[in-house]
Amino acid sequence: MSFYLYDSVQKEKREFIPLAEGKATIYVCGPTVYDDAHLGHARSALSFDILKRTLQDLGYNVTLAKNFTDIDDKIINKLATSGKTLHELTEFYINRYLEDMAALGVLRADIEPKATESIEAIEKMITELLESDCAYTIENGDIYFDTSKDSRYGSISHMVTDDAQNISRIEANSQKRNPKDFALWKACKEQDVCFNAKIGQGRPGWHIECSAMINKFFKGNDEYCIDIHCGGADLLFPHHENEAAQTRCALNKEIAKYWMHNGFVQIDGEKMSKSLGNSFFLKDALKVYDGELLRYYLISVHYRNDFNFNEVDLQNSKKRLDRLYRLKKRLYGGKVGRVNKAFKEALLQAMCDDLNSSKAMAIVDDMISSANEQLDKEPKNKALKQEILGNIDYLCQLLGIGCKDAIEWFQQGVSEEEKTKIESLIAKRAEAKKAKDFESADAIREELQNMGIAIMDMADGTKWEKL
RNA sequence: GGCGGCAUAGCCAAGUGGCUAAGGCAGGAGCCUGCAAAGCUCUGAUCCCCGGUUCGAAUCCGGGUGCCGCCUCCA
């Protein structure tokens, strides 16, 4: 089965043909670690997590790198008030990021490079750029990239290079050769964090990190460094344009063969930003909602579309995901068999079409309905039960959905004490039912309802769920 | 000012030239149930507007309207 992805540079779906047969190299632009991760970080991480899972399922040996930008203006600003060292501060947020991603079921990257641990590679690349006159040093010691030296500058984002037409908000800097030139290295100034380097004491600019780290960790071939370069839609310009330019000038090849960009997350139809006061930290969302539910909700919309996060749709997703767990609960404790071939093919086929997770989820819904229907007809069919559990198992592997324990899923946030009480009320109700005292039975059901517990009488006894 | 994206039933959301426009939530009907719940079945849209191309368009082209993003740090 071939994998097709929408290349956001060529603006069309392209068949994935890797640089090296059987291997896939992916680089995802990760977070700048000066604060907790928000829903946008989650969306990006999830988009490329399902990319990795799909390629793995197709048999590719996938190497995914996701960087941490751990030196940057915002981090330095935060340092002043935090009382921490740079390393303490960034480690703190890196760990919190990783915790959140784990809760969402995002697989750990194979390589997690940090800018501060790649100074040598960065310095080497800047030196090469200086030697070929693609970079220049200004009076204060800052080193800039000369965008005019790259004839293909603009080919990634398709932004026009004629600055007369482009009312840019780029600060005028008389020492820059071209308005679009950007800093590769920022020379040490007061109260700055500095690294010792032959190119002068200072710290790297944002764009050079990614280019240097990709070159450090991936060999690529004569034409490209890696297969797929991923990131948020906002990174296309200038970040990815600049990455590509540096790599062309320093290494004489393209940084990536394919580019993928995920769409934005809005909150209730508005852009998420601190100034609007609607920043939605994952940590806060995870206090209220299960990580797998957030995952399910966030991948229910195709990764390239914008995503409008809101409570109503999230609750809709909860109900939808509950259906899957009810099916899993129905087969609780059973042996997990092999996945149904047609189901697997259909799911994978959907994912191979530029990660159509939305379609994949519709296929899952169909599987759930038909499984319930068959189970109604043949409640004792062991092979059937095993296959359904096999399907759910595969779903967990491919999409990271349906991985949790089905009983626990419906009992989240219920204490042991409450559970005992619920069980005893259910036992009481069973007695009342047996004695045909439906009035008492219904009263107990209402009492449970008021506790936020829904019950359902099944063939093998009464089951309950936390609403 | 430059560049780009989106507009599908009450809501969310697939589909990008051709069989009955996926799927979910909400709503309606039925089966099941002591009654419910859960589960199953049935039930809903000429695809923002106007032109054009085509035997045929939600899907392609042109023009509107509306929303959003990038051009400054941003996933």
Side-chain angles (χ1 to χ4, degrees):
Chain A
M1 202 181 289
S2 295
F3 179 73
Y4 290 84
L5 60 89
Y6 181 86
D7 183 336
S8 36
V9 167
Q10 294 193 14
K11 294 181 183 295
E12 61 183 11
K13 272 188 198 170
R14 297 172 64 198
E15 181 178 356
F16 177 66
I17 297 165
L19 304 182
E21 204 181 328
K23 290 183 184 170
T25 47
I26 303 170
Y27 183 90
V28 180
C29 280
T32 301
V33 282
Y34 69 101
D35 209 341
D36 280 326
H38 57 233
L39 289 169
H41 293 109
R43 172 106 134 116
S44 174
L46 285 168
S47 298
F48 307 120
D49 181 59
I50 58 176
L51 169 67
K52 179 179 179 179
R53 286 169 184 260
T54 301
L55 287 172
Q56 277 182 337
D57 214 87
L58 288 168
Y60 288 100
N61 180 356
V62 180
T63 306
L64 185 147
K66 181 154 69 179
N67 72 299
F68 288 109
T69 297
D70 61 348
I71 176 69
D72 145 287
D73 290 352
K74 276 187 293 227
I75 296 172
I76 292 168
N77 289 342
K78 193 133 188 175
L79 271 182
T81 53
S82 72
K84 289 181 177 170
T85 66
L86 176 75
H87 186 72
E88 283 166 355
L89 183 80
T90 56
E91 280 303 304
F92 177 78
Y93 285 117
I94 287 171
N95 286 330
R96 285 171 70 91
Y97 175 87
L98 291 172
E99 269 170 30
D100 291 351
M101 293 307 141
L104 292 174
V106 174
L107 301 172
R108 276 292 286 264
D110 303 287
I111 305 170
E112 290 171 347
K114 298 181 189 118
T116 58
E117 292 172 1
S118 307
I119 298 296
E120 226 171 282
I122 291 167
E123 188 183 1
K124 183 167 165 256
M125 196 172 232
I126 293 175
T127 304
E128 281 162 0
L129 290 169
L130 283 167
E131 281 168 2
S132 58
D133 196 36
C134 288
Y136 54 94
T137 308
I138 63 168
E139 274 174 20
N140 67 6
D142 287 356
I143 303 172
Y144 277 84
F145 181 83
D146 185 344
T147 51
S148 70
K149 292 288 159 61
D150 176 23
S151 62
R152 301 199 60 207
Y153 192 79
S155 64
I156 298 296
S157 64
H158 310 291
M159 293 287 280
V160 284
T161 46
D162 181 2
D163 286 293
Q165 279 181 44
N166 191 345
I167 299 173
S168 171
R169 282 173 278 181
I170 294 171
E171 227 175 285
N173 181 334
S174 56
Q175 300 203 333
K176 289 205 293 192
R177 291 181 188 169
N178 313 286
K180 284 215 168 80
D181 291 358
F182 53 90
L184 295 167
W185 188 257
K186 296 182 180 178
C188 207
K189 294 167 192 89
E190 271 178 58
Q191 293 187 332
D192 218 340
V193 177
C194 303
F195 296 86
N196 287 317
K198 286 179 194 137
I199 51 175
Q201 280 225 326
R203 60 190 167 88
W206 177 38
H207 311 298
I208 192 72
E209 288 174 28
C210 292
S211 301
M213 292 192 286
I214 285 173
N215 188 43
K216 179 178 172 183
F217 290 103
F218 296 101
K219 284 201 179 83
N221 63 16
D222 292 343
E223 276 184 280
Y224 304 100
C225 298
I226 53 167
D227 288 298
I228 312 173
H229 193 129
C230 309
D234 52 334
L235 299 182
L236 188 54
F237 189 87
H239 187 52
H240 290 164
E241 190 71 64
N242 292 349
E243 278 185 45
Q246 293 157 355
T247 303
R248 273 193 290 267
C249 292
L251 306 174
N252 196 30
K253 62 181 179 180
E254 290 294 325
I255 192 164
K257 185 171 180 186
Y258 305 94
W259 294 82
M260 292 175 87
H261 290 92
N262 65 276
F264 259 61
V265 178
Q266 297 189 319
I267 308 285
D268 289 325
E270 283 194 89
K271 182 177 169 155
M272 185 165 48
S273 76
K274 282 189 177 168
S275 57
L276 284 169
N278 65 351
S279 266
F280 213 132
F281 289 118
L282 262 175
K283 287 249 178 275
D284 295 328
L286 285 166
K287 278 179 202 156
V288 189
Y289 306 106
D290 181 85
E292 192 179 293
L293 171 60
L294 288 170
R295 178 186 181 93
Y296 184 88
Y297 177 40
L298 286 166
I299 66 173
S300 69
V301 176
H302 187 89
Y303 77 92
R304 271 193 284 127
N305 288 359
D306 283 341
F307 190 103
N308 182 22
F309 190 96
N310 67 87
E311 186 76 25
V312 173
D313 294 345
L314 179 58
Q315 289 305 332
N316 183 347
S317 282
K318 166 81 164 66
K319 287 178 186 174
R320 203 175 170 186
L321 185 52
D322 281 348
R323 291 183 74 232
L324 175 69
Y325 275 105
R326 277 197 200 99
L327 174 63
K328 194 173 180 182
K329 194 170 72 170
R330 212 177 157 174
L331 305 167
Y332 197 75
K335 193 179 157 196
V336 179
R338 290 184 67 170
V339 59
N340 176 280
K341 206 178 161 197
F343 173 70
K344 176 178 172 165
E345 291 260 313
L347 263 196
L348 202 48
Q349 192 70 253
M351 293 306 285
C352 279
D353 182 14
D354 191 33
L355 304 177
N356 195 335
S357 50
S358 203
K359 190 173 180 179
M361 285 156 86
I363 292 163
V364 172
D365 284 327
D366 285 340
M367 186 277 288
I368 295 169
S369 292
S370 108
N372 276 318
E373 193 184 358
Q374 284 179 280
L375 284 169
D376 286 345
K377 281 182 195 154
E378 307 176 68
K380 291 187 177 167
N381 186 335
K382 269 193 179 172
L384 172 67
K385 290 182 181 182
Q386 291 179 11
E387 185 180 86
I388 295 168
L389 283 172
N391 289 348
I392 297 173
D393 195 56
Y394 176 69
L395 177 62
C396 169
Q397 181 190 313
L398 184 64
L399 293 181
I401 297 298
C403 306
K404 303 212 169 180
D405 181 277
I407 301 283
E408 285 169 20
W409 178 259
F410 290 108
Q411 302 187 351
Q412 291 179 51
V414 181
S415 68
E416 286 306 314
E417 203 177 326
E418 284 173 302
K419 281 181 194 171
T420 314
K421 191 180 174 193
I422 292 161
E423 296 295 345
S424 97
L425 281 169
I426 287 174
K428 249 196 206 171
R429 176 169 168 277
E431 276 176 43
K433 273 179 63 179
K434 210 173 173 184
K436 304 236 184 254
D437 178 5
F438 296 123
E439 215 167 293
S440 303
D442 290 352
I444 293 169
R445 183 165 61 199
E446 206 177 314
E447 189 182 345
L448 284 163
Q449 185 89 31
N450 292 337
M451 289 165 65
I453 302 300
I455 57 168
M456 37 214 75
D457 296 329
M458 313 300 281
D460 56 341
T462 298
K463 308 282 188 211
W464 64 271
E465 292 178 4
K466 171 90 179 155
L467 290 173

